[in-house]
Amino acid sequence: MSGEFGLKESVSMALGGMIGGGIYAVLGVVANIAMFATWFGFVAAGVVAVCAGYSYNKLNALGDQRGGSVSFVQEFVGNSTLAGMLGWSLLFGYIGSMAMYAFAFAEFTTAFNAVPDSYAGFSLRPVISVLSIALFVALNVAGARITGSAENVLVAAKVAILVAFGVWGLAYLGPVSPQSVSLGFSHLTGVTPLVAAAISFVAFQGWQLLFYDQERIGDPVDTIRRAVYISIPAAVAIYVMVAVVTTNLAPQAIQHHPHVALGDAASAMLGYVGLGSLGMIIISISALFSTGSAINATLFSSGHFAKGLLDSDLLPDQIGDTDADGVPDKTFLVLGAITAAFSAWGSLGAITSFASLAFIIVFGAMSVLAFRERDRGDVNPIPPAIGAVGAAVFAPVMFWNLYNREPNTFWMVLVVAVAVVAVELLYFERGELEEVVPVTLERAVERVEDGIGEDSE
């Protein structure tokens, strides 16, 4: 059904995928590391994301298949193992994103005075996160999904709240607030800005969902190209405004409870007109709405992405029935269960780092692939080179930061990443293993029998 969405709807989808829940979940984690230089982390991550977007657009124009990263690898590399491993990495990135949104959803829920942080000595945060995921899994299984003009209205409302927050905050910091505005230029040395960029990378992943929905977009190659180049800079501008305002108005909140620091900054602004408590309420309601819709949209998109992997035999049949009409219910349930486990037992820093790492790997790989195709068409090698180098820098910097600042998180992320890669290799090389392992065992048994025979003689 081609032509259902035009440029406006595509920009809305891409911007909604980034703004939807990213700023509420990521800001506190990044600000806790870079403080007043948080804005630079978003700018650097945005530059690499734009270069990755350029790579996606060029590969989409060059190729015959209309898909995303998995289709690009299948068409331009012809290696199903690499395509499958990239697909799994991307799927785990979506799972990490949903867990991150669910974590933020719970944090802002408990920001209301009516909701306690704990009950009988047990934290309610993991419970609320799991319940939020269960709700949206049930909605997707039931077939509920917001599209079209409704999506435009909802995204416009979410963006309007954050833009109003940023504009009013900058105005307040100017002539109204007695404090001077700090942009953290003294913190732009060393690796801290790069760490901030690497961790915030997950906040720029929503645009690439457009590449998996091209059959519903009119003139998809050109429309998606323009939507990507509009939505990413717009997201960067909003993130920068919000980061500058929050770090300057709520530095103490960032130190003590960074996950809801946005609400404290809103309270400080509206406190000037005697409505301080209203600021936290507005931001918390916006955060609940944004993170909830982000869970729903990401679950819907990742479910359809997983269905594509199933149809290509890149996921085991146990994940869902390939003959099902639409996304199998089991697929939504499996994705929801893994997401719930991540959100219940992982810290926000670990979840954010894992999700960012997945997208750094995938976007970096697409940049490398576009750079390889620089002699075809009109591919300018500079943007793909920047995307590839940026990804190559972000990944080790993130691990270095975790190892030094949060060793427990480092080992958790490392173990999960290694386990994911090991499972991928076992699955995609299972045919070769089925041939090699029996022969190897047979030869080992023969050697043992020969040894026993010689001993008996």
Side-chain angles (χ1 to χ4, degrees), residues 5-280:
F5 292 158
L7 179 61
K8 182 174 65 175
E9 289 79 13
S10 298
V11 170
S12 177
M13 290 171 62
L15 197 56
M18 290 182 280
I19 297 295
I23 190 67
Y24 296 104
V26 171
L27 178 63
V29 178
V30 179
N32 214 12
I33 294 171
M35 200 54 179
F36 299 113
T38 298
W39 64 271
F40 181 83
F42 286 126
V43 171
V47 169
V48 175
V50 167
C51 292
Y54 176 90
S55 300
Y56 268 78
N57 281 324
K58 289 303 180 182
L59 292 172
N60 198 44
L62 289 173
D64 296 324
Q65 298 185 33
R66 290 291 167 259
S69 51
V70 175
S71 297
F72 297 154
V73 173
Q74 288 176 322
E75 181 168 0
F76 293 102
V77 180
N79 189 313
S80 59
T81 296
L82 284 178
M85 293 181 68
L86 201 72
W88 281 38
S89 299
L90 195 55
L91 196 58
F92 272 99
Y94 293 144
I95 290 171
S97 298
M98 289 188 288
M100 180 182 73
Y101 301 146
F103 198 111
F105 183 93
E107 290 285 350
F108 278 97
T109 299
T110 56
F112 291 99
N113 292 330
V115 181
D117 294 331
S118 60
Y119 180 78
F122 293 96
S123 173
L124 290 181
R125 201 284 307 162
V127 176
I128 297 172
S129 293
V130 171
L131 288 176
S132 68
I133 295 166
L135 170 64
F136 292 110
V137 167
L139 287 176
N140 275 273
V141 168
R145 168 70 174 151
I146 300 171
T147 56
S149 58
E151 185 91 17
N152 293 337
V153 172
L154 297 178
V155 171
K158 292 184 287 186
V159 171
I161 290 174
L162 287 175
V163 170
F165 172 91
V167 171
W168 171 247
L170 292 177
Y172 176 82
L173 283 170
V176 178
S177 176
Q179 69 190 83
S180 58
V181 179
S182 175
L183 296 178
F185 290 118
S186 60
H187 298 282
L188 296 183
T189 58
V191 298
T192 299
L194 294 176
V195 171
I199 293 177
S200 66
F201 201 75
V202 66
F204 292 98
Q205 57 88 10
W207 55 267
Q208 47 89 39
L209 295 174
L210 292 173
F211 290 87
Y212 306 115
D213 211 11
Q214 297 191 50
E215 71 278 0
R216 295 198 297 170
I217 298 175
D219 191 11
V221 173
D222 185 60
T223 301
I224 291 175
R225 177 183 60 81
R226 290 190 290 162
V228 167
Y229 297 146
I230 292 172
S231 61
I232 297 178
V236 171
I238 293 172
Y239 287 161
V240 167
M241 280 198 303
V242 172
V244 170
V245 170
T246 304
T247 53
N248 278 274
L249 288 182
Q252 296 300 319
I254 289 172
Q255 295 295 327
H256 301 294
H257 44 95
H259 311 322
V260 293
L262 208 65
D264 288 88
S267 297
M269 288 187 294
L270 292 181
Y272 179 73
V273 292
L275 298 173
S277 59
L278 183 62
M280 177 63 80

Side-chain angles (χ1 to χ4, degrees), residues 273-298:
V273 292
L275 298 173
S277 59
L278 183 62
M280 177 63 80
I281 293 174
I282 292 174
I283 289 297
S284 296
I285 292 175
S286 174
L288 291 179
F289 185 77
S290 296
T291 52
S293 63
I295 296 171
N296 181 54
T298 307

